[in-house]
Amino acid sequence: MLLRFTKMHGLGNDFMVIDLVTQHAQLNPRLIRQWSDRYTGIGFDQLLVVEPPGDPDMDFRYRIYNADGSEVEQCGNGARCFARFVLDKRLTAKTDIRVETAGGPIALIVQDDGQITVNMGPPRFVPAEIPFQAQSEAISYELAVADQILQVAAVSMGNPHCVTLVDDLNVYPVNRLGPLIERHSRFPNGVNAGFMQLIDRHSARLRVFERGVGETRACGTGACAAAVAGIRQGHLTSPVSIELPGGTLQIEWAGPGEPVMMTGPATRVFEGQIRL
Ligand SMILES: N[C@@H](CCC[C@H](N)C(=O)O)C(=O)O
């Protein structure tokens, strides 16, 4: 049987997208790892799956798998590609699309200029909800990593993020500390490790070592978490431009309890089919 898929990306964070509304497939971690391989497979950071919703008030169910085959709760760049995909494939004609994810409901708004805004819902800071091991909620925490103590913020955007402020992102050892933070024992489900360099009150640079993938060219939920952490710590003011290696995302957040709005592009690369 041949399975149709679309290769897409959001600022270089790349995806294989499969429509399981009109097709059928049994996925498993081994198959996903095989497909994600950049030399012997299709190559992607995440596999995105479009399914019918369980909740009748929603338009679709959105499932996300990291390149290592693990299923995760949320993916921001993927959400924008999801919106572009369901419109291009005529699975919906709506430009305001409600989607259920394992990380909670999100809303996708397709703008007239083709940019897509995602209402990611409110960030969560309660340690148990991230999950993160801490005595009580705080704006920043001391985290022992290798031979140093980092000051970090812990945020859930549906998925877990740890954000560290750094002076110079060009020389910071993202690929040495990223894997140690990703599997740190205080984050029992693992974590996405973001490293942010402030530019001014409305902009920052960010690199993210993603859980289950490694460093990616962009991370949408990572950009939301970094902007929120920076606003909460008093360094940034909404709206915030987050510059990632693959490009820039616009993030707006009005404060605790309010949803995070993320705006950026979604790009189709090619159509393919693979034998199952
Ligand atoms: N690239 C994503 C995040 C994908 C999931 C993440 N690696 C995790 O394990 O939580 C984004 O754009 O948000």
Side-chain angles (χ1 to χ4, degrees):
M1 174 203 153
L2 285 173
L3 182 71
R4 284 175 282 109
F5 68 90
T6 303
K7 181 74 195 290
M8 303 188 77
H9 76 89
L11 300 179
N13 178 193
D14 66 341
F15 310 108
M16 174 184 183
V17 191
I18 307 176
D19 160 15
L20 290 190
V21 175
T22 66
Q23 304 184 105
H24 296 281
Q26 290 285 345
L27 303 175
N28 63 63
R30 188 192 56 78
L31 192 61
I32 295 167
R33 282 196 296 276
Q34 193 180 313
W35 288 347
S36 74
D37 191 291
R38 295 195 180 279
Y39 298 98
T40 57
I42 294 153
F44 53 81
D45 296 324
Q46 275 89 29
L47 167 67
L48 312 179
V49 179
V50 183
E51 290 185 355
D55 177 346
D57 289 337
M58 295 282 154
D59 296 305
F60 296 100
R61 181 164 188 215
Y62 165 34
R63 296 181 76 167
I64 305 137
Y65 299 86
N66 280 330
D68 70 356
S70 57
E71 184 165 5
V72 292
E73 310 89 338
Q74 197 55 275
C75 176
N77 290 324
R80 299 194 314 279
C81 290
F82 189 102
R84 177 87 283 134
F85 180 90
V86 294
L87 281 170
D88 287 355
K89 298 292 174 193
R90 295 191 164 79
L91 296 172
T92 186
K94 292 184 179 177
T95 52
D96 191 338
I97 305 160
R98 284 178 298 172
V99 173
E100 60 188 34
T101 73
I106 57 173
L108 318 175
I109 304 136
V110 183
Q111 312 283 0
D112 293 341
D113 62 1
Q115 292 276 106
I116 294 157
T117 298
V118 184
N119 177 336
M120 302 289 300
R124 283 171 252 161
F125 306 107
V126 175
E129 293 178 13
I130 294 173
F132 174 60
Q133 287 172 359
Q135 299 284 359
S136 56
E137 183 185 321
I139 285 174
S140 76
Y141 302 90
E142 290 192 342
L143 189 73
V145 180
D147 53 352
Q148 48 191 304
I149 304 290
L150 302 178
Q151 288 292 332
V152 305
V155 181
S156 170
M157 287 306 311
N159 59 346
H161 290 270
C162 174
V163 183
T164 307
L165 278 184
V166 308
D167 289 334
D168 185 352
L169 214 41
N170 291 334
V171 296
Y172 199 79
V174 170
N175 286 299
R176 182 170 68 81
L177 297 184
L180 301 177
I181 297 174
E182 180 200 9
R183 294 186 213 104
H184 199 286
S185 58
R186 288 179 66 189
F187 290 97
N189 293 352
V191 71
N192 298 287
F195 301 91
M196 173 165 69
Q197 178 185 339
L198 300 167
I199 299 172
D200 59 36
R201 286 212 64 86
H202 290 287
S203 51
R205 294 177 63 211
L206 181 72
R207 288 172 64 186
V208 182
F209 190 95
E210 284 196 32
R211 176 178 67 167
V213 185
E215 186 178 4
T216 54
R217 292 197 188 169
C219 178
T221 48
C224 296
V228 161
I231 293 169
R232 209 164 169 242
Q233 291 174 347
H235 302 300
L236 294 169
T237 302
S238 179
V240 178
S241 295
I242 298 287
E243 295 175 17
L244 297 132
T248 301
L249 289 171
Q250 305 301 330
I251 311 295
E252 292 171 67
W253 184 53
E258 297 297 324
V260 181
M261 307 299 286
M262 173 196 60
T263 302
T267 308
R268 192 178 67 88
V269 184
F270 65 84
E271 303 291 327
Q273 47 186 15
I274 192 157
R275 192 169 296 283
L276 278 181

PDB file of all heavy atoms in Angstrom, residues 246-276:
ATOM      1  N   GLY A 246      16.638  29.642  11.773  1.00  0.00           N
ATOM      2  CA  GLY A 246      15.888  29.542  10.509  1.00  0.00           C
ATOM      3  C   GLY A 246      15.036  30.749  10.167  1.00  0.00           C
ATOM      4  O   GLY A 246      14.436  30.791   9.087  1.00  0.00           O
ATOM      5  N   GLY A 247      14.922  31.731  11.065  1.00  0.00           N
ATOM      6  CA  GLY A 247      14.088  32.904  10.784  1.00  0.00           C
ATOM      7  C   GLY A 247      13.412  33.416  12.049  1.00  0.00           C
ATOM      8  O   GLY A 247      13.717  32.944  13.152  1.00  0.00           O
ATOM      9  N   THR A 248      12.481  34.350  11.860  1.00  0.00           N
ATOM     10  CA  THR A 248      11.932  35.068  13.025  1.00  0.00           C
ATOM     11  C   THR A 248      10.443  34.773  13.225  1.00  0.00           C
ATOM     12  O   THR A 248       9.673  34.737  12.261  1.00  0.00           O
ATOM     13  CB  THR A 248      12.156  36.581  12.822  1.00  0.00           C
ATOM     14  OG1 THR A 248      13.565  36.789  12.686  1.00  0.00           O
ATOM     15  CG2 THR A 248      11.657  37.394  13.991  1.00  0.00           C
ATOM     16  N   LEU A 249      10.056  34.599  14.489  1.00  0.00           N
ATOM     17  CA  LEU A 249       8.648  34.426  14.868  1.00  0.00           C
ATOM     18  C   LEU A 249       8.214  35.622  15.711  1.00  0.00           C
ATOM     19  O   LEU A 249       9.006  36.157  16.485  1.00  0.00           O
ATOM     20  CB  LEU A 249       8.466  33.148  15.693  1.00  0.00           C
ATOM     21  CG  LEU A 249       8.609  31.832  14.923  1.00  0.00           C
ATOM     22  CD1 LEU A 249       8.618  30.652  15.887  1.00  0.00           C
ATOM     23  CD2 LEU A 249       7.465  31.680  13.914  1.00  0.00           C
ATOM     24  N   GLN A 250       6.953  36.022  15.548  1.00  0.00           N
ATOM     25  CA  GLN A 250       6.375  37.100  16.356  1.00  0.00           C
ATOM     26  C   GLN A 250       5.535  36.466  17.459  1.00  0.00           C
ATOM     27  O   GLN A 250       4.666  35.635  17.162  1.00  0.00           O
ATOM     28  CB  GLN A 250       5.482  38.018  15.498  1.00  0.00           C
ATOM     29  CG  GLN A 250       6.170  38.600  14.280  1.00  0.00           C
ATOM     30  CD  GLN A 250       7.398  39.432  14.623  1.00  0.00           C
ATOM     31  OE1 GLN A 250       7.476  40.038  15.694  1.00  0.00           O
ATOM     32  NE2 GLN A 250       8.365  39.442  13.723  1.00  0.00           N
ATOM     33  N   ILE A 251       5.804  36.871  18.685  1.00  0.00           N
ATOM     34  CA  ILE A 251       5.098  36.296  19.835  1.00  0.00           C
ATOM     35  C   ILE A 251       4.427  37.423  20.619  1.00  0.00           C
ATOM     36  O   ILE A 251       5.054  38.446  20.907  1.00  0.00           O
ATOM     37  CB  ILE A 251       6.076  35.551  20.787  1.00  0.00           C
ATOM     38  CG1 ILE A 251       7.001  34.586  20.016  1.00  0.00           C
ATOM     39  CG2 ILE A 251       5.307  34.839  21.903  1.00  0.00           C
ATOM     40  CD1 ILE A 251       6.350  33.424  19.342  1.00  0.00           C
ATOM     41  N   GLU A 252       3.148  37.185  20.959  1.00  0.00           N
ATOM     42  CA  GLU A 252       2.431  38.150  21.801  1.00  0.00           C
ATOM     43  C   GLU A 252       1.889  37.415  23.019  1.00  0.00           C
ATOM     44  O   GLU A 252       1.366  36.304  22.896  1.00  0.00           O
ATOM     45  CB  GLU A 252       1.259  38.766  21.034  1.00  0.00           C
ATOM     46  CG  GLU A 252       1.707  39.660  19.891  1.00  0.00           C
ATOM     47  CD  GLU A 252       0.517  40.063  19.035  1.00  0.00           C
ATOM     48  OE1 GLU A 252      -0.347  40.806  19.538  1.00  0.00           O
ATOM     49  OE2 GLU A 252       0.460  39.601  17.897  1.00  0.00           O
ATOM     50  N   TRP A 253       2.012  38.057  24.178  1.00  0.00           N
ATOM     51  CA  TRP A 253       1.461  37.474  25.419  1.00  0.00           C
ATOM     52  C   TRP A 253       1.096  38.610  26.362  1.00  0.00           C
ATOM     53  O   TRP A 253       1.952  39.432  26.719  1.00  0.00           O
ATOM     54  CB  TRP A 253       2.489  36.549  26.081  1.00  0.00           C
ATOM     55  CG  TRP A 253       1.956  35.844  27.298  1.00  0.00           C
ATOM     56  CD1 TRP A 253       0.812  35.103  27.387  1.00  0.00           C
ATOM     57  CD2 TRP A 253       2.539  35.808  28.616  1.00  0.00           C
ATOM     58  NE1 TRP A 253       0.655  34.607  28.657  1.00  0.00           N
ATOM     59  CE2 TRP A 253       1.700  35.024  29.433  1.00  0.00           C
ATOM     60  CE3 TRP A 253       3.695  36.356  29.173  1.00  0.00           C
ATOM     61  CZ2 TRP A 253       1.968  34.781  30.782  1.00  0.00           C
ATOM     62  CZ3 TRP A 253       3.975  36.109  30.508  1.00  0.00           C
ATOM     63  CH2 TRP A 253       3.110  35.326  31.308  1.00  0.00           C
ATOM     64  N   ALA A 254      -0.182  38.636  26.784  1.00  0.00           N
ATOM     65  CA  ALA A 254      -0.664  39.731  27.634  1.00  0.00           C
ATOM     66  C   ALA A 254      -0.432  39.481  29.117  1.00  0.00           C
ATOM     67  O   ALA A 254      -0.692  40.364  29.940  1.00  0.00           O
ATOM     68  CB  ALA A 254      -2.137  39.974  27.356  1.00  0.00           C
ATOM     69  N   GLY A 255       0.029  38.291  29.486  1.00  0.00           N
ATOM     70  CA  GLY A 255       0.334  38.031  30.899  1.00  0.00           C
ATOM     71  C   GLY A 255      -0.354  36.772  31.406  1.00  0.00           C
ATOM     72  O   GLY A 255      -1.071  36.088  30.656  1.00  0.00           O
ATOM     73  N   PRO A 256      -0.123  36.419  32.693  1.00  0.00           N
ATOM     74  CA  PRO A 256      -0.619  35.161  33.261  1.00  0.00           C
ATOM     75  C   PRO A 256      -2.098  34.906  32.971  1.00  0.00           C
ATOM     76  O   PRO A 256      -2.929  35.800  33.086  1.00  0.00           O
ATOM     77  CB  PRO A 256      -0.365  35.337  34.760  1.00  0.00           C
ATOM     78  CG  PRO A 256       0.809  36.273  34.824  1.00  0.00           C
ATOM     79  CD  PRO A 256       0.647  37.212  33.655  1.00  0.00           C
ATOM     80  N   GLY A 257      -2.386  33.674  32.568  1.00  0.00           N
ATOM     81  CA  GLY A 257      -3.769  33.268  32.278  1.00  0.00           C
ATOM     82  C   GLY A 257      -4.180  33.571  30.852  1.00  0.00           C
ATOM     83  O   GLY A 257      -5.203  33.072  30.375  1.00  0.00           O
ATOM     84  N   GLU A 258      -3.401  34.403  30.155  1.00  0.00           N
ATOM     85  CA  GLU A 258      -3.736  34.791  28.779  1.00  0.00           C
ATOM     86  C   GLU A 258      -3.045  33.847  27.784  1.00  0.00           C
ATOM     87  O   GLU A 258      -1.974  33.315  28.082  1.00  0.00           O
ATOM     88  CB  GLU A 258      -3.280  36.227  28.500  1.00  0.00           C
ATOM     89  CG  GLU A 258      -3.955  37.273  29.361  1.00  0.00           C
ATOM     90  CD  GLU A 258      -5.461  37.320  29.123  1.00  0.00           C
ATOM     91  OE1 GLU A 258      -5.891  37.132  27.972  1.00  0.00           O
ATOM     92  OE2 GLU A 258      -6.196  37.517  30.110  1.00  0.00           O
ATOM     93  N   PRO A 259      -3.648  33.679  26.598  1.00  0.00           N
ATOM     94  CA  PRO A 259      -3.005  32.789  25.613  1.00  0.00           C
ATOM     95  C   PRO A 259      -1.783  33.426  24.964  1.00  0.00           C
ATOM     96  O   PRO A 259      -1.682  34.650  24.879  1.00  0.00           O
ATOM     97  CB  PRO A 259      -4.106  32.585  24.566  1.00  0.00           C
ATOM     98  CG  PRO A 259      -4.960  33.793  24.664  1.00  0.00           C
ATOM     99  CD  PRO A 259      -4.915  34.236  26.111  1.00  0.00           C
ATOM    100  N   VAL A 260      -0.880  32.590  24.499  1.00  0.00           N
ATOM    101  CA  VAL A 260       0.280  33.043  23.726  1.00  0.00           C
ATOM    102  C   VAL A 260      -0.085  32.955  22.244  1.00  0.00           C
ATOM    103  O   VAL A 260      -0.599  31.930  21.796  1.00  0.00           O
ATOM    104  CB  VAL A 260       1.510  32.152  24.012  1.00  0.00           C
ATOM    105  CG1 VAL A 260       2.722  32.643  23.239  1.00  0.00           C
ATOM    106  CG2 VAL A 260       1.816  32.114  25.500  1.00  0.00           C
ATOM    107  N   MET A 261       0.160  34.049  21.512  1.00  0.00           N
ATOM    108  CA  MET A 261      -0.132  34.075  20.076  1.00  0.00           C
ATOM    109  C   MET A 261       1.205  34.056  19.333  1.00  0.00           C
ATOM    110  O   MET A 261       2.080  34.888  19.600  1.00  0.00           O
ATOM    111  CB  MET A 261      -0.905  35.342  19.700  1.00  0.00           C
ATOM    112  CG  MET A 261      -2.162  35.582  20.533  1.00  0.00           C
ATOM    113  SD  MET A 261      -3.402  34.283  20.409  1.00  0.00           S
ATOM    114  CE  MET A 261      -4.061  34.615  18.787  1.00  0.00           C
ATOM    115  N   MET A 262       1.350  33.115  18.424  1.00  0.00           N
ATOM    116  CA  MET A 262       2.599  32.976  17.654  1.00  0.00           C
ATOM    117  C   MET A 262       2.284  33.144  16.169  1.00  0.00           C
ATOM    118  O   MET A 262       1.372  32.492  15.664  1.00  0.00           O
ATOM    119  CB  MET A 262       3.183  31.580  17.893  1.00  0.00           C
ATOM    120  CG  MET A 262       4.382  31.270  17.031  1.00  0.00           C
ATOM    121  SD  MET A 262       4.755  29.495  17.002  1.00  0.00           S
ATOM    122  CE  MET A 262       3.252  28.844  16.334  1.00  0.00           C
ATOM    123  N   THR A 263       3.036  34.008  15.477  1.00  0.00           N
ATOM    124  CA  THR A 263       2.796  34.222  14.047  1.00  0.00           C
ATOM    125  C   THR A 263       4.059  33.967  13.250  1.00  0.00           C
ATOM    126  O   THR A 263       5.154  34.409  13.627  1.00  0.00           O
ATOM    127  CB  THR A 263       2.304  35.670  13.797  1.00  0.00           C
ATOM    128  OG1 THR A 263       1.110  35.876  14.555  1.00  0.00           O
ATOM    129  CG2 THR A 263       2.014  35.916  12.311  1.00  0.00           C
ATOM    130  N   GLY A 264       3.899  33.247  12.130  1.00  0.00           N
ATOM    131  CA  GLY A 264       5.043  32.955  11.260  1.00  0.00           C
ATOM    132  C   GLY A 264       4.583  32.229  10.016  1.00  0.00           C
ATOM    133  O   GLY A 264       3.389  32.011   9.802  1.00  0.00           O
ATOM    134  N   PRO A 265       5.535  31.819   9.174  1.00  0.00           N
ATOM    135  CA  PRO A 265       5.191  31.182   7.907  1.00  0.00           C
ATOM    136  C   PRO A 265       5.073  29.654   8.000  1.00  0.00           C
ATOM    137  O   PRO A 265       5.467  29.047   8.999  1.00  0.00           O
ATOM    138  CB  PRO A 265       6.388  31.548   7.024  1.00  0.00           C
ATOM    139  CG  PRO A 265       7.539  31.580   7.996  1.00  0.00           C
ATOM    140  CD  PRO A 265       6.981  32.061   9.308  1.00  0.00           C
ATOM    141  N   ALA A 266       4.529  29.068   6.933  1.00  0.00           N
ATOM    142  CA  ALA A 266       4.479  27.610   6.777  1.00  0.00           C
ATOM    143  C   ALA A 266       4.728  27.333   5.302  1.00  0.00           C
ATOM    144  O   ALA A 266       4.090  27.951   4.448  1.00  0.00           O
ATOM    145  CB  ALA A 266       3.116  27.070   7.185  1.00  0.00           C
ATOM    146  N   THR A 267       5.650  26.425   5.009  1.00  0.00           N
ATOM    147  CA  THR A 267       6.077  26.224   3.616  1.00  0.00           C
ATOM    148  C   THR A 267       5.974  24.756   3.213  1.00  0.00           C
ATOM    149  O   THR A 267       6.435  23.873   3.941  1.00  0.00           O
ATOM    150  CB  THR A 267       7.557  26.686   3.466  1.00  0.00           C
ATOM    151  OG1 THR A 267       7.663  28.007   3.984  1.00  0.00           O
ATOM    152  CG2 THR A 267       8.008  26.658   2.016  1.00  0.00           C
ATOM    153  N   ARG A 268       5.369  24.522   2.025  1.00  0.00           N
ATOM    154  CA  ARG A 268       5.306  23.166   1.462  1.00  0.00           C
ATOM    155  C   ARG A 268       6.577  22.951   0.641  1.00  0.00           C
ATOM    156  O   ARG A 268       6.988  23.840  -0.103  1.00  0.00           O
ATOM    157  CB  ARG A 268       4.068  23.048   0.565  1.00  0.00           C
ATOM    158  CG  ARG A 268       3.712  21.650   0.155  1.00  0.00           C
ATOM    159  CD  ARG A 268       2.453  21.669  -0.689  1.00  0.00           C
ATOM    160  NE  ARG A 268       2.694  22.333  -1.965  1.00  0.00           N
ATOM    161  CZ  ARG A 268       3.149  21.710  -3.062  1.00  0.00           C
ATOM    162  NH1 ARG A 268       3.376  20.414  -3.032  1.00  0.00           N
ATOM    163  NH2 ARG A 268       3.354  22.374  -4.175  1.00  0.00           N
ATOM    164  N   VAL A 269       7.208  21.791   0.785  1.00  0.00           N
ATOM    165  CA  VAL A 269       8.457  21.519   0.059  1.00  0.00           C
ATOM    166  C   VAL A 269       8.192  20.588  -1.123  1.00  0.00           C
ATOM    167  O   VAL A 269       8.527  20.883  -2.256  1.00  0.00           O
ATOM    168  CB  VAL A 269       9.523  20.904   0.990  1.00  0.00           C
ATOM    169  CG1 VAL A 269      10.851  20.721   0.259  1.00  0.00           C
ATOM    170  CG2 VAL A 269       9.737  21.774   2.229  1.00  0.00           C
ATOM    171  N   PHE A 270       7.593  19.414  -0.848  1.00  0.00           N
ATOM    172  CA  PHE A 270       7.254  18.493  -1.948  1.00  0.00           C
ATOM    173  C   PHE A 270       6.199  17.484  -1.486  1.00  0.00           C
ATOM    174  O   PHE A 270       5.964  17.332  -0.288  1.00  0.00           O
ATOM    175  CB  PHE A 270       8.504  17.768  -2.482  1.00  0.00           C
ATOM    176  CG  PHE A 270       9.185  16.825  -1.511  1.00  0.00           C
ATOM    177  CD1 PHE A 270       8.756  15.510  -1.343  1.00  0.00           C
ATOM    178  CD2 PHE A 270      10.283  17.250  -0.767  1.00  0.00           C
ATOM    179  CE1 PHE A 270       9.393  14.650  -0.470  1.00  0.00           C
ATOM    180  CE2 PHE A 270      10.933  16.394   0.111  1.00  0.00           C
ATOM    181  CZ  PHE A 270      10.482  15.092   0.258  1.00  0.00           C
ATOM    182  N   GLU A 271       5.595  16.831  -2.483  1.00  0.00           N
ATOM    183  CA  GLU A 271       4.638  15.746  -2.216  1.00  0.00           C
ATOM    184  C   GLU A 271       5.362  14.427  -2.462  1.00  0.00           C
ATOM    185  O   GLU A 271       6.212  14.346  -3.360  1.00  0.00           O
ATOM    186  CB  GLU A 271       3.442  15.827  -3.179  1.00  0.00           C
ATOM    187  CG  GLU A 271       2.679  17.128  -3.151  1.00  0.00           C
ATOM    188  CD  GLU A 271       1.900  17.339  -1.863  1.00  0.00           C
ATOM    189  OE1 GLU A 271       1.422  16.331  -1.292  1.00  0.00           O
ATOM    190  OE2 GLU A 271       1.801  18.493  -1.430  1.00  0.00           O
ATOM    191  N   GLY A 272       5.016  13.405  -1.692  1.00  0.00           N
ATOM    192  CA  GLY A 272       5.651  12.107  -1.915  1.00  0.00           C
ATOM    193  C   GLY A 272       4.706  10.973  -1.570  1.00  0.00           C
ATOM    194  O   GLY A 272       3.599  11.189  -1.068  1.00  0.00           O
ATOM    195  N   GLN A 273       5.145   9.770  -1.860  1.00  0.00           N
ATOM    196  CA  GLN A 273       4.409   8.600  -1.386  1.00  0.00           C
ATOM    197  C   GLN A 273       5.405   7.527  -1.011  1.00  0.00           C
ATOM    198  O   GLN A 273       6.489   7.427  -1.611  1.00  0.00           O
ATOM    199  CB  GLN A 273       3.380   8.118  -2.395  1.00  0.00           C
ATOM    200  CG  GLN A 273       3.846   7.981  -3.819  1.00  0.00           C
ATOM    201  CD  GLN A 273       2.701   7.644  -4.749  1.00  0.00           C
ATOM    202  OE1 GLN A 273       1.537   7.775  -4.405  1.00  0.00           O
ATOM    203  NE2 GLN A 273       3.026   7.154  -5.933  1.00  0.00           N
ATOM    204  N   ILE A 274       5.049   6.745  -0.010  1.00  0.00           N
ATOM    205  CA  ILE A 274       5.971   5.739   0.511  1.00  0.00           C
ATOM    206  C   ILE A 274       5.223   4.418   0.653  1.00  0.00           C
ATOM    207  O   ILE A 274       4.036   4.410   1.032  1.00  0.00           O
ATOM    208  CB  ILE A 274       6.606   6.228   1.846  1.00  0.00           C
ATOM    209  CG1 ILE A 274       7.757   5.331   2.234  1.00  0.00           C
ATOM    210  CG2 ILE A 274       5.597   6.376   2.964  1.00  0.00           C
ATOM    211  CD1 ILE A 274       8.751   6.007   3.170  1.00  0.00           C
ATOM    212  N   ARG A 275       5.918   3.323   0.325  1.00  0.00           N
ATOM    213  CA  ARG A 275       5.260   2.019   0.393  1.00  0.00           C
ATOM    214  C   ARG A 275       5.274   1.512   1.834  1.00  0.00           C
ATOM    215  O   ARG A 275       6.303   1.529   2.483  1.00  0.00           O
ATOM    216  CB  ARG A 275       5.987   1.025  -0.530  1.00  0.00           C
ATOM    217  CG  ARG A 275       5.191  -0.263  -0.748  1.00  0.00           C
ATOM    218  CD  ARG A 275       5.791  -1.105  -1.868  1.00  0.00           C
ATOM    219  NE  ARG A 275       5.757  -0.463  -3.180  1.00  0.00           N
ATOM    220  CZ  ARG A 275       4.681  -0.354  -3.955  1.00  0.00           C
ATOM    221  NH1 ARG A 275       3.525  -0.852  -3.559  1.00  0.00           N
ATOM    222  NH2 ARG A 275       4.763   0.252  -5.124  1.00  0.00           N
ATOM    223  N   LEU A 276       4.121   1.063   2.302  1.00  0.00           N
ATOM    224  CA  LEU A 276       4.035   0.545   3.679  1.00  0.00           C
ATOM    225  C   LEU A 276       4.168  -0.971   3.662  1.00  0.00           C
ATOM    226  O   LEU A 276       3.651  -1.617   2.766  1.00  0.00           O
ATOM    227  CB  LEU A 276       2.688   0.903   4.306  1.00  0.00           C
ATOM    228  CG  LEU A 276       2.565   2.309   4.894  1.00  0.00           C
ATOM    229  CD1 LEU A 276       1.188   2.489   5.503  1.00  0.00           C
ATOM    230  CD2 LEU A 276       3.620   2.552   5.981  1.00  0.00           C
TER     231      LEU A 276
END
